[in-house]
Amino acid sequence: MASGEGKKSGEGKKANANAKGGGKKKEVKKETGLGLSYKKEENFGEWYSEVCVNGEMIEYYDISGCYILRPWTMAVWETMQTFFDAEIKKMKIKNCYFPLFVSPGVLQKEKDHIEGFAPEVAWVTKSGQSDLEVPIAIRPTSETVMYPYYSKWIRGHRDLPLRLNQWCNVVRWEFSHPTPFIRSREFLWQEGHTAFATKEEADKEVLEILELYRRIYEEYLAIPVIKGKKSEMEKFAGGFYTTSVEAFIPNTGRGIQGATSHCLGQNFAKMFDITFENEKGEKAMVWQNSWAYSTRTIGVMVMVHGDDKGLVMPPKVASVQIIVVPVPFKDADTQAIFDACDATVNTLNEAGFRAEADLRDNYSPGWKYSHWEMKGVPLRIEIGPKDLANKQARAVRRDNSAKIDIPIVNLVEQVKDMLDNIQQNLFDVAKQKRDACIKTVRTWDEFIEALGQKKMILAPWCDEMEVEKDVKARTKGETGAAKTLCAPFDQPDLEGVNCFVTGKPAKKWSYWGRSY
């Protein structure tokens, strides 16, 4: 994103300083006026909305629940997209694009599936002033859009596997509390839809895709996640089983489903008649998967890493990794400092970093520091007269405000080390905070106490749907009910352990908590 944006109205009127040309005075903005009105610890919801807007991630739109994704956001999305797209291509998954519109007959074919989505489906009912003869739905997800054509394209075992992915938008309309990235009426995502001859192939892919989702969160966004399986109550409507990566927001004590990889089993194959002739000449049904991650990932990143100064961007996904700011003092050779800034940016860009210089002369260095801190740029490099004389630059980290003077000759390798260190530190700090919120309980009383403390609760249970419904009903309050987040693949010992609700022998350990 270019660093030369225009000022907001009212900025730049409070402070004057000599222009480098001397004589005529030029207005230079000194006071920051950029701070957030809300603190993360005190009013998380307002802080989050404010940081998304002031950090230039989004702009509110005139239709509730819809947001403009600004270039700062799209750069993060594109980085993740580039990684994920290359990985699925290695798996021989191909990209395609299906229409946005769904006919009602097709949408209603899979009963459980449409019941799960019905309240959120938006319908087109008019064309100009005329009512449509048959209303048309806008996709909330694309199983029912795509699978009639899977039935057409799959005939024999040589047509399998069929592995497609599409990058698109979806619309889900019905909800009361829209939140940027987390709950929006339209969002961007990828959705993969695959068909196999055997359950074993489908099972294998589910976990391979889930591992890619873990890597997006942990390696790119620096957010720790837990891989696990959803309960029968929380699984994808119409699916066989659902796996997910689950993140946690310590400030609100809420879990957040990061991404899902579903095995659909043969349920949709039955509904849409997706069959093939196997090697023995017998008719068989395919096994299917679907899997998706969305722009919600970006909201989780903002929530986990952001602070009272604004966004904190992990270097791997930051649109600008290094911002170079000139610090000209009175009577300094301003042009020489600007030239040094340009040379520094060129050196860093040639070395493969994403660096920019902020050479705007109508803003003071202090204002610029606050501006780029708000936008979360991982590393700031300051160059003033002393730095010029000593052939060095001052580097300031966004994550912990640490400052270090770097000799220009060592610039590239030291910047690389610092960015690597920032990426790792963001993950380590997030994991430390998340782990401090995990509480293992064995009884109902311990569970209720931990829930009141905003914990992510690991508890043994009997894996009965009625019990989960009961827990939901008994914990319902202003902040929402507790539910299972996932049963982690990494299971503690179950021997002699009983369900925390019923006292029956436990069948699994699951994470429980309130969630987004």
Side-chain angles (χ1 to χ4, degrees):
M1 189 167 186
S3 60
E5 298 122 327
K7 292 197 299 283
K8 306 286 189 288
S9 60
E11 289 171 357
K13 293 180 183 172
K14 293 183 182 170
N16 287 333
N18 284 331
K20 54 185 174 183
K24 193 183 172 198
K25 289 194 169 182
K26 186 176 184 102
E27 289 184 314
V28 175
K29 176 71 181 165
K30 275 189 178 168
E31 283 82 0
T32 65
L34 286 170
L36 297 169
S37 315
Y38 298 95
K39 293 205 178 317
K40 190 176 184 181
E41 291 291 336
E42 291 169 13
N43 190 332
F44 185 84
E46 295 291 349
W47 167 85
Y48 175 72
S49 297
E50 194 178 21
V51 88
C52 285
V53 174
N54 290 14
E56 299 178 352
M57 299 291 280
I58 64 132
E59 188 61 74
Y60 281 85
Y61 193 58
D62 65 353
I63 295 172
S64 172
C66 298
Y67 307 96
I68 298 160
L69 304 184
R70 298 185 67 179
W72 211 242
T73 287
M74 290 308 294
V76 179
W77 183 243
E78 285 168 356
T79 299
M80 295 189 291
Q81 185 177 27
T82 299
F83 160 74
F84 190 79
D85 204 59
E87 291 297 321
I88 62 173
K89 280 176 176 151
K90 288 180 199 170
M91 296 167 67
K92 304 285 190 284
I93 294 162
K94 293 181 167 62
N95 283 325
C96 63
Y97 184 79
F98 279 74
L100 175 69
F101 302 113
V102 198
S103 65
V106 174
L107 188 65
Q108 285 150 8
K109 210 161 191 177
E110 211 301 320
K111 188 172 145 292
D112 290 341
H113 178 70
I114 190 51
E115 274 179 13
F117 283 101
E120 301 176 336
V121 176
W123 293 89
V124 179
T125 58
K126 274 182 177 293
S127 165
Q129 295 305 309
S130 315
D131 289 337
L132 293 182
E133 202 174 305
V134 178
I136 294 167
I138 298 174
R139 62 176 168 228
T141 179
S142 297
E143 282 75 8
T144 58
V145 179
M146 296 168 84
Y147 297 168
Y149 301 91
Y150 280 41
S151 172
K152 184 179 180 181
W153 297 336
I154 295 168
R155 287 282 176 260
H157 61 89
R158 290 180 189 85
D159 300 323
L160 294 171
L162 178 59
R163 305 173 85 178
L164 301 180
N165 175 67
Q166 66 173 357
W167 296 92
C168 63
N169 62 339
V170 286
V171 173
R172 297 182 183 178
W173 203 259
E174 179 62 43
F175 53 80
S176 51
H177 299 294
T179 306
F181 299 116
I182 304 299
R183 288 177 75 79
S184 56
R185 288 182 164 166
E186 179 193 9
F187 54 88
L188 302 182
W189 74 349
Q190 60 67 220
E191 51 176 325
H193 295 271
T194 54
F196 299 93
T198 65
K199 178 178 181 291
E200 290 70 30
E201 291 171 282
D203 288 339
K204 180 170 176 277
E205 185 198 70
V206 164
L207 297 182
E208 286 172 350
I209 293 293
L210 196 68
E211 172 59 11
L212 293 181
Y213 293 153
R214 181 202 67 78
R215 288 182 63 192
I216 284 171
Y217 274 96
E218 296 197 345
E219 294 177 17
Y220 282 80
L221 300 173
I223 296 166
V225 289
I226 291 164
K227 291 204 282 190
K229 191 174 174 182
K230 290 284 191 187
S231 68
E232 283 298 298
M233 193 163 150
E234 292 295 327
K235 76 177 184 183
F236 183 67
F240 182 40
Y241 65 84
T242 290
T243 67
S244 66
V245 287
E246 300 286 331
F248 189 76
I249 311 299
N251 294 75
T252 58
R254 288 181 182 274
I256 184 156
Q257 180 177 287
T260 48
S261 183
H262 315 286
C263 180
L264 302 178
Q266 296 180 307
N267 196 17
F268 286 88
K270 274 183 202 142
M271 296 301 150
F272 291 93
D273 189 29
I274 311 173
T275 57
F276 68 103
E277 194 176 278
N278 66 20
E279 287 161 335
K280 296 174 186 169
E282 300 158 347
K283 195 177 177 185
M285 271 189 302
V286 299
W287 287 82
Q288 287 175 273
N289 293 339
S290 70
W291 28 269
Y293 82 92
S294 75
T295 37
R296 168 179 271 213
T297 48
I298 299 170
V300 182
M301 176 197 76
V302 174
M303 287 182 166
V304 169
H305 299 309
D307 62 19
D308 291 342
K309 289 181 184 176
L311 299 167
V312 179
M313 305 293 284
K316 270 197 173 183
V317 295
S319 175
V320 175
Q321 295 170 315
I322 305 126
I323 189 72
V324 181
V325 180
V327 190
F329 297 155
K330 207 173 176 185
D331 305 324
D333 184 349
T334 305
Q335 194 54 51
I337 292 170
F338 275 36
D339 290 346
C341 289
D342 278 334
T344 300
V345 168
N346 290 337
T347 300
L348 292 169
N349 286 342
E350 281 167 17
F353 299 109
R354 297 186 289 277
E356 287 183 9
D358 188 344
L359 304 179
R360 293 176 288 180
D361 59 4
N362 57 333
Y363 290 117
S364 69
W367 191 95
K368 292 175 186 178
Y369 297 168
S370 297
H371 173 73
W372 295 106
E373 282 173 352
M374 179 69 77
K375 288 173 73 69
V377 172
L379 198 61
R380 180 173 78 240
I381 288 179
E382 304 165 7
I383 300 177
K386 280 185 183 171
D387 301 303
L388 210 56
N390 296 332
K391 293 185 177 168
Q392 66 180 33
R394 167 157 287 194
V396 186
R397 288 172 56 153
R398 175 65 181 87
D399 63 327
N400 62 11
S401 304
K403 297 178 181 179
I404 182 173
D405 291 327
I406 302 174
I408 291 294
V409 289
N410 299 341
L411 184 73
V412 167
E413 59 237 45
Q414 285 204 236
V415 163
K416 182 186 184 308
D417 289 346
M418 288 179 88
L419 292 178
D420 289 347
N421 193 276
I422 292 166
Q423 184 81 25
Q424 188 60 48
N425 186 55
L426 285 173
F427 178 82
D428 292 344
V429 168
K431 188 171 188 305
Q432 193 183 339
K433 287 181 181 170
R434 195 274 317 263
D435 290 350
C437 293
I438 294 175
K439 178 90 189 215
T440 303
V441 308
R442 288 172 183 251
T443 67
W444 178 257
D445 289 345
E446 288 173 351
F447 177 81
I448 291 299
E449 185 187 355
L451 197 62
Q453 295 165 347
K454 296 183 173 178
K455 299 294 188 193
M456 184 181 195
I457 304 161
L458 184 60
W461 73 303
C462 55
D463 198 17
E464 291 176 15
M465 196 184 286
E466 289 309 312
V467 172
E468 186 172 359
K469 283 182 185 168
D470 182 47
V471 171
K472 251 185 167 174
R474 287 164 72 182
T475 56
K476 205 171 171 84
E478 283 177 26
T479 52
K483 63 181 187 182
T484 57
L485 305 173
C486 74
F489 293 147
D490 191 6
Q491 283 278 312
D493 189 22
L494 273 171
E495 200 176 329
V497 177
N498 295 327
C499 172
F500 78 102
V501 186
T502 62
K504 293 177 185 174
K507 288 186 182 166
K508 63 168 70 162
W509 288 85
S510 285
Y511 282 101
W512 298 71
R514 295 195 165 95
S515 75
Y516 282 95

